[in-house]
Amino acid sequence: MSQKIRVAVLYGGRSGEHEISLRSAASVIRNLDRSRFEIVPIAIDKQGQWHLVDREFAEKEAQGSTLSIPAAALPVVLPPDPARGKGKAVFVSLKDGSVAATAEAVFPVLHGPLCEDGTIQGILELAEVAYIGCGVLASSVGMDKDMAKRVARDAGIPIVPFVLVRAGRWQKASQEIRAEVKRELGFPCFVKPVNMGSSVGVHKVKTEADFDAAMNDAFQYDTKVLVEKAIAAREIEVSALENREHGEPARVSVAAEIIPSHEFYSYEAKYLDDDGAALLIPARLLPEQLATVQQIAVKVFEALECEGMSRVDFFLDKVTGQFYFNEVNTIPGFTSISMYPKMWEASGLPYAKLLSELVDLALERHRRKLALKREK
Ligand SMILES: Nc1ncnc2c1ncn2[C@@H]1O[C@H](COP(=O)(O)OP(=O)(O)O)[C@@H](O)[C@H]1O
Ligand SMILES: [Mg+2]
């Protein structure tokens, strides 16, 4: 029997989405095809320390809905030492410098800043290992709502009108900015930190009088804040997956619709309220609407240089019927009830097969990259 491919599953992380990641990773570990893969569980605690977790322990825990990081887990690092790894990930014990584990591919099941934004991907690039999902560029552009919208706009993809505000300017010219927002966008508008997720720091601002408080709150999370025209919209999502044929357009799933029971799809609606939103898979769309949104999702995947996977989120204007690209999630939720795998399931690609595809795509990309010349 040929040897199994070792897949290091990275989970936890330093973002506010640490707990979601533990749930996503439990599902990933539970569903990875054991006939092909062996799991190497690597947990990143909230301080940023990486740990090798006992495999049996993680496998057992993954039968439930979430994972923990045992105090006894061995602290490890992944040094940027390609010569040592020879294409594999080599996790080194911080205790005695010995090799604690190796893996042929790394699956970052991490969400949010310092996880999904190209930083972890940068470490994996330096270590020269195969990893699942988007590279450094798409990860960081995808995390930055301002950059993602600018790139999409340049590719002719419809986006909601916005004004970008930097912290320095807000401190000096808040009155001028308020006037600009009133003139360009009007109220209600949405205020959001550029590099966050989970609706943290997102506000629907109904009147001019509420604008400053929303901005000040958003600036607690980031130095760039996006102010967007509020759209009376349905929220539609599509899962995109890199094509097996390199260079061909991404594969896209059926669409899903999120119907928040709150004023908008806020943090509370997402995580605190069990009935915070209804999730419809497939979304109730006309065939031509589905075709349109899938087409735009493919375009977004390409424009943002996505690789592997991405969930692409849209607004569908209830009045005009126009689709607007809202954001990409380059490492979407992977819990058993998460939209990305659910949409694939509804499109005929079961969870375990989806994971196998993602690993295969990562290994394939790694091979292609290693074959490139580095100098003349
Ligand atoms: N321009 C907008 N018009 C209407 N609703 C919006 C707008 N921007 C954001 N929202 C609402 O806020 C939620 C969170 O915003 P989003 O940009 O998706 O940030 P996050 O990355 O935190 O999910 C959306 O799901 C939607 O409910
Ligand atoms: Mg969102």
Side-chain angles (χ1 to χ4, degrees), residues 270 311 313 326-327 329:
K270 284 179 182 174
R311 199 189 73 221
D313 298 354
N326 179 37
E327 60 166 341
N329 285 277

Side-chain angles (χ1 to χ4, degrees), residues 3-11 24-43 50-56 58-59 62 67 78 87-91 100-110 124 129-133 309 334 351-364 367:
Q3 263 209 332
K4 288 188 185 176
I5 300 167
R6 280 181 305 254
V7 179
V9 179
L10 278 187
Y11 54 91
S24 287
S27 280
V28 167
I29 290 179
R30 194 165 60 241
N31 284 288
L32 267 167
D33 180 355
R34 289 303 187 284
S35 70
R36 292 189 58 205
F37 307 116
E38 185 180 301
I39 276 113
V40 179
I42 305 282
W50 297 30
H51 305 265
L52 174 65
V53 176
D54 178 70
R55 179 155 49 92
E56 278 178 26
E59 300 230 20
L67 300 173
L78 177 65
K88 283 184 196 158
V90 177
F91 298 97
T102 62
E104 281 77 36
V106 177
F107 194 158
V109 188
L110 301 160
L124 299 171
V129 303
Y131 59 95
I132 279 81
M309 61 180 168
F334 260 93
Y351 197 126
K353 279 223 169 93
L354 169 64
L355 296 179
S356 300
E357 285 256 357
L358 287 168
V359 179
D360 289 337
L361 287 167
L363 293 170
E364 219 18 74
R367 266 179 230 124

Side-chain angles (χ1 to χ4, degrees), residues 213-225:
M215 292 294 280
N216 290 331
D217 182 62
F219 273 120
Q220 291 193 77
Y221 300 101
D222 203 342
T223 55
K224 291 205 291 182
V225 165

